[in-house]
Amino acid sequence: LSATPEVPKEDERPKWDNKFQYILSCIGFAVGLGNVWRFPYLCQIHGGGAFLVPYFIALLFEGIPLLHLELALGQCLRKGSIGAWNTISPYLGGVGVGSWVVSVLVSLYYNTVLTWVMWYFVNSFQEPLPWSVCPLNENRTGFNKECYESTAVNYFWYRKTLNITPDITESGTLQWWLILCLATCWAIVYLCTIRGIETTGKAIYVTAIFPYLVLTIFLIQGLTLPGAREGLVYLFTPNLNTLKNPRVWLDAATQIFFSLSLAFGGLIAFSSYNPTKNDCEKDAVTVAIVNSMTSLYASIPVFSVLGFKATTAYWDCLDRNIISIINEFDLPEESIMRDNYTSWISLLNSSYPEKIARLKLKSCDLQEFLDQSVSGTGLAFIVFTQAIILMPGSQAWAILFFIMLFCLGLSSMFGNIEGVFTPLLELQIVSKSAPKELLSGIICLISFFIALCFTLGSGSYWIDIFDRYAGSVPLLVVAFFEVIGVVYIYKIKRFSKDVKQMTGRKLNLYWQITWRFISPLLLLIVFVAFVTLQMQKPPSYTAWNPKYEGFPMKEEKVYPPWVQAICVLLAALPCVCVPLVALFHLIKKRRSKDPSLVLPEIFSCQGANS
Amino acid sequence: MLRALLLTLSVVVISHAELCKPDAQNAFKVRISIKTALGDNAYAWDANEEYLFKAMVAFAMRRYSSKSTTQISNVLLCNVTDRVSFWFVVTDSSKNVTTVPGSEVEAAIRMNRNRINSAFLLSDKTLQFLKITSTLSPPVEPSTPAWLIVFGVVLCLIVAGIVFLVVSGIQKRKKKNKESTERENLEEKVEVTVTLENGIPCEVLDLKSGHVNGVFAADDERFTSL
C-alpha cells in the first residue's frame, strides 16, 4: 500500500521572483557602457544615419538569432554555461569553459572601469569641480606645467586619477585612492551578488531603470543647450557613401555582437533560472530591440552635449581672436561681434595684412570641433566632463552622469559575475552545505586582489589590452562553436522540438535559416575580417608622455614582445579550451577502452527536471 | 613776466609730452575692458574716470613710499584710445622732468592692486597693466578633501548592507536547520499517532483482505516502476 502518491522532487534551483526581473536583468546585462560611449561614436564616424542600415541588418541576422539561441539553451537545460555544454556533449564542454574564462577575464578589468567612475563620482561633490581648474606649481608663479600644456580635464584624468606612466613597461606604483575605490566597487558587487539572483534580482530594479531616468534628464537638458542642434544634425545626417566601406559593416556586426553581451555565459545562466514553459523567443526579440533602442536613445543626449561643447569651443576660439584684434588695433569693445567677425577680418586683412599675420590668429571652424570624435573612456572622462563644466549647476550634472555610468556598468557586472558564479556552483567545487555567501565572497576577494594590478601606473594600458584581446576575439570563437554545436551536433530538429515545448510554437523559417546558415557564416566572416585587421599592423598603443615633443598629443608606441605574447595568450586561452576539452575527453575514452563507456545519452528538454 | 610763465608752461607741456608716450621709459600701458566686466552696468570712460585713475596711482605711490610727495598732477596719461587703453608715467616732482623708475611704480601698483581694481569695479583681467603680472591666489584647500567624506559615507552604507545580508542569511539558515529537525521529530510523532488515530492499527489492516481503492489504483498505473 503506498500511503502517499509520489511527488516530484522539489526543484531546489533558485528562480526569479517574476518575469519582469528576468527581462530587466537581461536588458541590464546587455545595456552597458558601450551603448553610451561606443555606439554614438560609431554612428558619427560611419556616416551618421547611414550607419543604422548595417546596424539593423546585423541585429536581424546576427544579434537576435544568437540571443534567442542562448536564452533557449539556458532555459531548456537549466544549467550554467559549463554544465549546459557538458550536457549537450562532453566534447563541447570546452565551449562552456571558454565562455567561463572570458567572463572571469572581463569581470576583472570591467570593475576597474567602474572604479574610475566611482572616483569621479566622489570627486563631483567638490566645488569647484576638481577637473575644471589647473593646480598651481610649486612656487605659485603659474599653473602646473603638465596641466597648462594640455587641459585641466586631461590633467585630472591622466595625472590625478590614473597617475599614468609614460610607457607600459614602467609599472609605477599602486595608487592608494584607486585601491580604495576598487575595494568599494568589489564590495558593492559582493553586496548585490551575495546570494546570486536572489539579491541581484532586487538590485537590478535600481541599476537597470535609473540610467533611463538620467538619460531622459540629460536629453531634456541637452536639447536646451546652445549648439545641440548642430551636434544632432552632425550625428544623424546620413552619408550613404560610407556604406561602400566594408569596415563599416564589420564595425556594425561587432558592435551588435559585443553590445548584446553574447557568449559570456551570463545569458545562459540567467535563463537557466526560468521556468521551462517560458516564451524565450519573445524575450530574445524584446531584449535585442530594447538594447538597440537604448543605444539610439543614448546617442541623442550624448551628441547634444558634444554639439554644445563644440559650439562653445568654437565661440571661445572666435572670442580669443576678437580680443587679439581689438587689443592690437585698439578698437572699442564689442565693436567686433561673432556674427560680423568674418566681414571685419576680410576688411582688416585687406588694409593691414602684416599686422593680421603677426597676430597669428587660429582659424576657427565649427566642423573641425565637431569632428573631434572620441569613444570609450575618453568620451566619458575627458570630453563629457569638459562639457559638464560649461553647464550651469555642473556638480548636479556630474553626479547624475557618473551615477548613471556606474549603474550601467554594474548591471553588466551582474551578468559577468553570474556567468562565473553559476557554473562554479554546479561544478560543486564547494560542498553543498557551504553558504552561497561564502562562494561569492571568495570570488569577489580573489578578483579584487588580481585587479589590484590594474591600479598601477600602467594599469590603464593593461585594461586596453584586456579589452582589445580578451574581450573580443574569444567571444566570436565561442559564439561560433555555440551555433555549430547546437545546430549540427545537438541537431536542430531536436532543438526545435525543445523550443516548441517551451514556447508552444513551432520554430518559424526565420530562425531555421539564420541558425543553420546565416549566423554561423556571418560569425566566420566577422572573425576572419577582425583578425586580419588586427594583424595588419603591429599592435601599438598611445601613451601619455609629458616629455614627448608633440605633447599634448599622445605618443604612438609599439608593444614590446613580452606584452605581445600576453596579448596572444589572452586571446588564445579561452579559444584553446574548446579543442583541449574535446581532446581530453577523446583521450579519456581511448584510455578507458571500456565499450560501455559510450557518449552519455544526449539530454533533451522533455521532462526536464534536473 | 607773462612771457616767462608761458615759456615754463610750454616747456612743461612739451616735456610732459616727451615723458609720456607709448614705449617711453618707465611708462606702462593700461587696458580696460569695462563692458566685459560689467555688461549692462558699464559706465563710460571719460575725463572724470581718468582723474580717478590718476588719483589711485598717486595713492598707490604714496602708500608704497610712505612719503606724501606724489600729487595727482604727477601722473601723466596719454594716447587714450577707444579700446579703452592708455599709457601713463609717474613724474618725480623733486627732480625736474624725470619719471619715477618703473620698478617702483610696479611695486606700488602690485601692493595696491586690489584697491585700484575695486575703485573701478573691475578685476585683474579687466583692468590690465600690461607689464605687471598679478600674483595668483592660492587655491582653497579644505582640511579634509571633500571626496574622502563622500567616500566614507558610501563605504559605511555598503559595509552595513553586507553585514545585514550576511547576518540575515546566517539567521535564516539556523531557522531552517531548527525547522527541519523539528519537522523530523513531528513526522515521527505523526506516524505514531496515525497508526493509532485511525482506530485501526496497521497490522490489522494488513491481515484483512482489503478492497482495492479505485482512486489509488488509477494512480498506480501512472507511476514508473522503480
Side-chain angles (χ1 to χ4, degrees):
Chain A
L1 182 78
S2 52
T4 42
E6 277 244 17
V7 281
K9 193 169 79 161
E10 198 175 278
D11 196 2
E12 287 173 2
R13 196 171 181 77
K15 42 187 204 290
W16 298 103
D17 287 344
N18 50 50
K19 173 93 181 263
F20 185 58
Q21 227 178 49
Y22 160 64
I23 294 280
L24 217 56
S25 297
C26 290
I27 291 178
F29 185 29
V31 171
L33 296 167
N35 293 67
V36 169
W37 71 34
R38 180 120 178 106
F39 176 79
Y41 163 77
L42 285 178
C43 238
Q44 181 200 346
I45 61 169
H46 288 318
F51 182 69
L52 294 177
V53 170
Y55 185 73
F56 277 109
I57 292 182
L59 178 69
L60 209 59
F61 291 115
E62 191 191 342
I64 298 184
L66 288 172
L67 187 61
H68 185 205
L69 188 83
E70 285 210 9
L71 292 183
L73 196 71
Q75 197 173 296
C76 165
L77 298 175
R78 317 204 76 216
K79 285 209 169 101
S81 56
I82 299 185
W85 289 102
N86 267 329
T87 316
I88 288 209
S89 156
Y91 293 110
L92 279 180
V95 177
V97 176
S99 60
W100 184 83
V101 172
V102 174
S103 284
V104 168
L105 291 174
V106 171
S107 306
L108 285 176
Y109 82 80
Y110 204 80
N111 220 13
T112 316
V113 177
L114 287 186
T115 306
W116 299 335
V117 176
M118 161 139 291
W119 165 250
Y120 268 79
F121 167 70
V122 291
N123 270 300
S124 307
F125 286 89
Q126 209 177 314
E127 161 80 21
L129 289 172
W131 55 82
S132 59
V133 283
C134 268
L136 301 175
N137 56 18
E138 286 93 27
N139 37 10
R140 299 235 192 105
T141 52
F143 293 118
N144 177 301
K145 181 157 174 284
E146 187 183 347
C147 185
Y148 183 70
E149 284 175 9
S150 56
T151 60
V153 181
N154 274 324
Y155 177 75
F156 187 75
W157 169 239
Y158 287 110
R159 191 53 51 210
K160 281 297 185 7
T161 308
L162 299 175
N163 201 5
I164 206 167
T165 53
D167 195 275
I168 194 173
T169 48
E170 294 172 38
S171 307
T173 52
L174 291 169
Q175 319 303 328
W176 61 269
W177 58 89
L178 284 183
I179 296 181
L180 281 180
C181 291
L182 185 73
T184 316
C185 284
W186 276 111
I188 294 181
V189 170
Y190 179 51
L191 175 70
C192 294
T193 59
I194 194 169
R195 286 198 214 124
I197 63 165
E198 219 181 293
T199 39
T200 57
K202 312 281 187 314
I204 202 79
Y205 285 118
V206 173
T207 59
I209 297 185
F210 190 71
Y212 288 98
L213 279 171
V214 176
L215 275 177
T216 312
I217 297 176
F218 263 100
L219 180 81
I220 301 175
Q221 154 76 348
L223 289 175
T224 61
L225 292 170
R229 208 181 59 92
E230 279 81 17
L232 286 175
V233 160
Y234 185 67
L235 168 69
F236 285 119
T237 314
N239 175 14
L240 291 164
N241 285 323
T242 57
L243 293 182
K244 298 192 198 127
N245 181 6
R247 189 66 200 270
V248 175
W249 295 85
L250 177 69
D251 276 342
T254 48
Q255 171 62 15
I256 270 291
F257 182 78
F258 297 132
S259 175
L260 284 172
S261 308
L262 298 164
F264 277 95
L267 288 167
I268 297 183
F270 279 156
S271 57
S272 70
Y273 297 117
N274 265 339
T276 332
K277 291 245 188 290
N278 177 49
D279 194 344
C280 49
E281 186 180 334
K282 207 160 57 155
D283 296 341
V285 176
T286 312
V287 171
I289 291 186
V290 170
N291 179 52
S292 297
M293 288 300 128
T294 309
S295 294
L296 276 173
Y297 189 60
S299 50
I300 302 180
V302 166
F303 264 87
S304 315
V305 172
L306 289 180
F308 162 69
K309 181 176 172 297
T311 308
T312 320
Y314 171 65
W315 285 348
D316 277 343
C317 177
L318 276 183
D319 286 344
R320 257 178 282 129
N321 284 357
I322 290 176
I323 290 276
S324 347
I325 297 179
I326 287 183
N327 288 348
E328 175 72 18
F329 289 93
D330 280 323
L331 301 165
E333 276 181 291
E334 293 185 3
S335 51
I336 308 182
M337 300 299 286
R338 290 181 198 141
D339 22 8
N340 53 14
Y341 171 74
T342 31
S343 48
W344 268 101
I345 272 281
S346 42
L347 177 73
L348 290 171
N349 225 351
S350 47
S351 15
Y352 306 98
E354 335 79 40
K355 262 192 169 183
I356 293 285
R358 233 202 340 247
L359 283 177
K360 293 206 194 46
L361 298 173
K362 266 179 83 167
S363 69
C364 299
D365 182 18
L366 180 61
Q367 206 53 33
E368 195 188 306
F369 288 112
L370 283 172
D371 276 336
Q372 288 169 0
S373 51
V374 200
S375 81
T377 51
L379 178 71
F381 298 117
I382 299 181
V383 172
F384 225 78
T385 44
Q386 195 156 29
I388 286 181
I389 304 175
L390 303 165
M391 294 185 206
S394 20
Q395 262 127 329
W397 297 114
I399 292 173
L400 273 179
F401 179 64
F402 289 115
I403 293 187
M404 173 187 81
L405 284 188
F406 195 77
C407 287
L408 282 172
L410 194 63
S411 49
S412 300
M413 266 308 279
F414 292 161
N416 281 326
I417 291 285
E418 216 37 63
V420 174
F421 195 48
T422 307
L424 280 182
L425 274 181
E426 284 157 10
L427 282 181
Q428 290 168 356
I429 291 182
V430 275
S431 64
K432 269 221 152 87
S433 60
K436 259 194 240 180
E437 290 92 332
L438 191 64
L439 180 63
S440 48
I442 293 176
I443 292 179
C444 289
L445 201 65
I446 295 180
S447 309
F448 166 66
F449 280 117
I450 300 180
L452 277 178
C453 61
F454 292 124
T455 58
L456 289 168
S458 54
S460 78
Y461 299 132
W462 286 106
I463 290 192
D464 270 333
I465 288 182
F466 268 68
D467 192 31
R468 266 200 274 175
Y469 296 103
S472 59
V473 171
L475 291 171
L476 291 167
V477 172
V478 168
F480 179 72
F481 281 109
E482 277 188 5
V483 184
I484 298 291
V486 168
V487 170
Y488 295 109
I489 300 187
Y490 186 71
K491 297 286 191 298
I492 194 166
K493 275 201 166 45
R494 190 189 272 126
F495 197 60
S496 322
K497 263 196 277 185
D498 299 337
V499 174
K500 180 161 176 221
Q501 233 224 346
M502 292 194 289
T503 64
R505 295 188 296 278
K506 202 164 106 79
L507 269 184
N508 62 27
L509 201 64
Y510 164 66
W511 302 114
Q512 301 264 2
I513 295 184
T514 47
W515 279 351
R516 264 194 238 246
F517 310 114
I518 303 189
S519 297
L521 193 66
L522 221 64
L523 278 174
L524 198 64
I525 297 176
V526 169
F527 172 70
V528 168
F530 200 78
V531 171
T532 325
L533 230 72
Q534 294 274 23
M535 307 235 285
Q536 258 176 8
K537 49 183 176 72
S540 64
Y541 66 108
T542 48
W544 179 263
N545 185 6
K547 298 203 180 40
Y548 177 52
E549 311 93 48
F551 188 76
M553 300 297 290
K554 292 174 83 172
E555 189 182 352
E556 180 105 6
K557 289 190 180 175
V558 179
Y559 286 127
W562 64 274
V563 174
Q564 288 190 23
I566 294 185
C567 298
V568 173
L569 189 72
L570 280 174
L573 189 67
C575 307
V576 109
C577 288
V578 179
L580 267 184
V581 170
L583 209 66
F584 170 71
H585 279 285
L586 206 67
I587 294 178
K588 202 160 87 163
K589 186 173 154 204
R590 290 261 176 85
R591 280 266 179 83
S592 66
K593 288 207 176 77
D594 192 347
S596 66
L597 191 76
V598 288
L599 263 177
E601 187 173 300
I602 292 183
F603 189 76
S604 111
C605 284
Q606 278 113 355
N609 238 348
S610 67
Chain B
M1 176 64 179
L2 202 64
R3 210 181 298 156
L5 207 66
L6 269 170
L7 207 62
T8 29
L9 210 66
S10 52
V11 165
V12 165
V13 165
I14 294 169
S15 58
H16 276 192
E18 283 175 0
L19 286 176
C20 176
K21 58 179 195 272
D23 297 317
Q25 200 191 33
N26 303 327
F28 291 91
K29 181 161 182 187
V30 177
R31 192 183 286 148
I32 300 188
S33 320
I34 309 175
K35 289 212 187 106
T36 318
L38 300 170
D40 287 331
N41 300 329
Y43 49 82
W45 186 263
D46 52 12
N48 299 330
E49 307 289 341
E50 285 182 23
Y51 192 80
L52 178 60
F53 183 81
K54 290 187 202 174
M56 291 308 293
V57 173
F59 161 75
M61 293 302 300
R62 283 185 178 219
R63 260 188 106 208
Y64 173 70
S65 51
S66 51
K67 53 181 195 278
S68 324
T69 52
T70 323
Q71 306 290 328
I72 289 185
S73 48
N74 286 123
V75 182
L76 307 173
L77 260 60
C78 52
N79 282 68
V80 184
T81 64
D82 283 333
R83 168 66 184 81
V84 169
S85 67
F86 49 83
W87 290 81
F88 78 93
V89 281
V90 183
T91 55
D92 199 338
S93 40
S94 54
K95 305 182 192 137
N96 225 348
V97 201
T98 49
T99 52
V100 174
S103 49
E104 270 187 50
V105 179
E106 185 174 331
I109 302 274
R110 220 194 229 128
M111 191 175 104
N112 299 289
R113 191 63 189 270
N114 248 358
R115 300 292 296 273
I116 303 179
N117 284 351
S118 35
F120 290 97
L121 308 172
L122 299 172
S123 67
D124 275 2
K125 273 174 74 177
T126 40
L127 169 57
Q128 292 168 301
F129 290 86
L130 284 192
K131 273 187 278 184
I132 305 178
T133 53
S134 45
T135 47
L136 300 160
S137 56
V140 176
E141 286 267 347
S143 49
T144 31
W147 72 269
L148 266 180
I149 300 174
V150 179
F151 183 78
V153 169
V154 170
L155 199 62
C156 285
L157 285 173
I158 294 166
V159 169
I162 293 178
V163 165
F164 168 71
L165 280 176
V166 169
V167 164
S168 72
I170 295 177
Q171 279 185 345
K172 220 195 299 184
R173 206 176 301 276
K174 271 203 211 141
K175 211 164 44 160
K176 214 180 358 170
N177 279 343
K178 210 165 35 156
E179 258 180 33
S180 62
T181 46
E182 271 181 17
R183 209 186 309 137
E184 279 173 23
N185 296 339
L186 202 65
E187 273 175 2
E188 284 175 20
K189 265 203 267 178
V190 165
E191 274 178 25
V192 170
T193 36
V194 157
T195 43
L196 287 183
E197 254 181 39
N198 274 352
I200 314 165
C202 281
E203 310 89 79
V204 179
L205 257 182
D206 279 335
L207 295 174
K208 272 194 185 171
S209 58
H211 295 276
V212 175
N213 192 335
V215 180
F216 283 105
D219 278 5
D220 255 342
E221 279 164 15
R222 255 199 313 156
F223 297 113
T224 49
S225 52
L226 288 168

